[in-house]
C-alpha cells in the first residue's frame, strides 16, 4: 500500500486527544473524548398517533434516568432534521473516553434501565411506547475528534442550528500530516475562531465506518438567519487572513490538493435539553 494511502487513514487516529465533550469551556481544560459515535435513526412514519411532544417527554425521561447517570458516556446530543435529504432522520451522537467505554456503555445502560423501571411490565411498556416512534433501520459511524474546536463560554439554554459540512480527502501523493495540519490550523485561527456567528465548532475525521475519506465540520449557530452571515463573515476573514499574495496562492493550492472538491451540506436542530 502506498504511503500516501496510509497518511489519511492515520489522520483518523492521530491527535485523538484534542476535542471537548461538551459545548462549553470550563475553568480547567476539559476532558476530551477519543471517539464520537453517530447513530442515524428514522421516525416511524406509519405511527398514527405520533405526537412530538409525547416523544420528547418519553425521551427526556430516559435521558434523565439513564443517559445522565451512565458514567461511561462523556457526552450525548440529539439532532433533528432541518434541511437534509431525508426528513425522517434524526441523529444521536455519543462521545466516549476510550474504545473500551463504548462496550461498557451498553451494559451500564441496561443496568440503569432496570434500576429506573424495576417493574418488568412497566419497563416493557415504557420501551414499547418509546420504540413505537422509531423505524427499525438505523446506521452507525464512529469518528475521531481532532484539534481546532471552538468552545462556548457556557452551555446554551435554547435549541441551536447545527450546520454540518462533509468533505472528502483526496490522498495526495505529495501530502504530509504536518503540512495538512499547519494549513488547517492557520485557517482555523484566522477564520473559524474569529467568526462571531460560529458559537461552537467541532472537526471530526473517520475512525470506523463506511467511508475513510470523510472529514466532518460542525458549526453551531444561534439561528438559521446566521448561516448567511457566517459565510459573509468567512469571506471577510479569509481576505484578512490570506490576502492575495503569491505565498497565499501557493498555500491555497496546497490546501486544495488534500480534498476531492466534493462536499455535502446538512442542517440539523440541536436539542439543548437532551444534551449531556
Amino acid at each position: 500500500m502506498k504511503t500516501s494511502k496510509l497518511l489519511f487513514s492515520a489522520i483518523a487516529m492521530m491527535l485523538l486527544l484534542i476535542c471537548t465533550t461538551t459545548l462549553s469551556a470550563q475553568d480547567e481544560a476539559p476532558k476530551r473524548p477519543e471517539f464520537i459515535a453517530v447513530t442515524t435513526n428514522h421516525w416511524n412514519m406509519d405511527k398514527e398517533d405520533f405526537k412530538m411532544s409525547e416523544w420528547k417527554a418519553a425521551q427526556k425521561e430516559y435521558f434523565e434516568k439513564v443517559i445522565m447517570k451512565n458514567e461511561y458516556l462523556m457526552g450525548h446530543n440529539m439532532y433533528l432534521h432541518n434541511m437534509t435529504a431525508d426528513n425522517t432522520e434524526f441523529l444521536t451522537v455519543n462521545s466516549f473516553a476510550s474504545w473500551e467505554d463504548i462496550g461498557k456503555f451498553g451494559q451500564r445502560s441496561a443496568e440503569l434501565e432496570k434500576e429506573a423501571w424495576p417493574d418488568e411490565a412497566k419497563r416493557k411498556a415504557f420501551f414499547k411506547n418509546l420504540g413505537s416512534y422509531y423505524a427499525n433501520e438505523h446506521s452507525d459511524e464512529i469518528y475521531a475528534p481532532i484539534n481546532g474546536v471552538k468552545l462556548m463560554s457556557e452551555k446554551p439554554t435554547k435549541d441551536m442550528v447545527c450546520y454540518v459540512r462533509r468533505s472528502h480527502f483526496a490522498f495526495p501523493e505529495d501530502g504530509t500530516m504536518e503540512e495538512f495540519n499547519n494549513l488547517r490550523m492557520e485557517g482555523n485561527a484566522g477564520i473559524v475562531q474569529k467568526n462571531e456567528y460560529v458559537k461552537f465548532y467541532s472537526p471530526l475525521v473517520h475512525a470506523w465506518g463506511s467511508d475513510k475519506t470523510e472529514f466532518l465540520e460542525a458549526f453551531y449557530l444561534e439561528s438559521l438567519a446566521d448561516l448567511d452571515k457566517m459565510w459573509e463573515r468567512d469571506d471577510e476573514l479569509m481576505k484578512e487572513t490570506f490576502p492575495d499574495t503569491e505565498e497565499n496562492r501557493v498555500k491555497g493550492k496546497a490546501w486544495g490538493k488534500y480534498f476531492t472538491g466534493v462536499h455535502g451540506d446538512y442542517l440539523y436542530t440541536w436539542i439543548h435539553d437532551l444534551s449531556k
Side-chain angles (χ1 to χ4, degrees):
M1 181 177 289
K2 295 181 180 179
T3 301
S4 60
K5 293 295 184 182
L6 293 173
L7 169 64
F8 286 104
S9 295
I11 284 179
M13 299 306 296
M14 75 177 183
L15 302 175
L16 293 179
L17 39 130
I18 335 179
C19 191
T20 180
T21 140
T22 66
L23 296 178
S24 59
Q26 307 296 328
D27 293 336
E28 299 180 358
K31 294 181 180 179
R32 294 165 173 173
E34 288 194 2
F35 297 103
I36 306 292
V38 179
T39 298
T40 301
N41 288 297
H42 298 271
W43 299 117
N44 177 10
M45 303 302 285
D46 295 325
K47 183 175 173 61
E48 295 181 356
D49 56 345
F50 191 108
K51 294 181 180 179
M52 184 62 75
S53 60
E54 293 183 0
W55 164 79
K56 188 173 182 180
Q59 191 66 53
K60 192 169 180 61
E61 183 178 357
Y62 184 83
F63 173 79
E64 293 172 348
K65 293 181 177 180
V66 178
I67 296 297
M68 289 300 293
K69 295 181 180 180
N70 194 321
E71 63 269 31
Y72 298 110
L73 189 60
M74 292 186 71
H76 172 87
N77 295 279
M78 299 193 77
Y79 302 82
L80 300 177
H81 154 88
N82 191 320
M83 292 185 184
T84 69
D86 186 350
N87 71 306
T88 73
E89 71 177 352
F90 69 93
L91 308 182
T92 301
V93 180
N94 292 320
S95 57
F96 300 93
S98 68
W99 189 265
E100 291 75 17
D101 282 358
I102 296 177
K104 294 176 181 178
F105 159 71
Q107 181 178 347
R108 181 60 176 143
S109 292
E111 295 171 352
L112 289 167
E113 289 167 4
K114 290 182 179 180
E115 292 176 11
W117 297 276
D119 183 281
E120 184 177 2
K122 292 181 179 179
R123 185 169 65 250
K124 287 183 176 180
F126 174 83
F127 285 105
K128 181 178 181 180
N129 173 61
L130 184 59
S132 70
Y133 286 90
Y134 307 142
N136 291 325
E137 70 271 16
H138 77 273
S139 60
D140 300 289
E141 299 285 340
I142 298 178
Y143 299 95
I146 61 174
N147 57 337
V149 68
K150 180 177 183 178
L151 298 174
M152 289 186 174
S153 58
E154 59 184 16
K155 188 174 180 178
T157 58
K158 63 178 182 179
D159 294 354
M160 299 187 74
V161 171
C162 179
Y163 161 59
V164 176
R165 181 165 58 217
R166 186 191 307 267
S167 304
H168 297 273
F169 290 125
F171 307 109
E173 294 289 343
D174 59 343
T176 67
M177 286 190 289
E178 181 180 7
E179 180 184 55
F180 172 78
N181 276 309
N182 287 341
L183 291 169
R184 187 174 65 84
M185 292 309 294
E186 185 177 1
N188 180 280
I191 301 172
V192 175
Q193 300 295 331
K194 292 183 179 180
N195 192 322
E196 62 271 27
Y197 297 105
V198 179
K199 302 306 180 182
F200 175 79
Y201 168 80
S202 177
L204 305 171
V205 293
H206 163 273
W208 188 271
S210 59
D211 186 353
K212 73 175 182 179
T213 73
E214 284 187 322
F215 174 51
L216 300 185
E217 298 173 276
F219 303 78
Y220 291 70
L221 313 168
E222 290 186 345
S223 69
L224 192 58
D226 282 350
L227 187 61
D228 282 338
K229 296 176 183 178
M230 177 193 75
W231 282 327
E232 290 174 1
R233 184 63 175 138
D234 275 353
D235 288 341
E236 296 172 352
L237 291 167
M238 174 68 77
K239 293 176 182 177
E240 294 174 11
T241 305
F242 300 105
D244 188 14
T245 64
E246 179 60 28
E247 179 184 4
N248 286 328
R249 285 192 288 272
V250 170
K251 287 181 180 179
K253 185 176 181 179
W255 175 249
K257 73 185 180 184
Y258 287 98
F259 298 96
T260 65
V262 176
H263 77 271
D265 301 291
Y266 310 82
L267 284 175
Y268 298 96
T269 298
W270 172 73
I271 309 175
H272 79 281
D273 52 352
L274 291 177
S275 169
K276 179 178 180 180

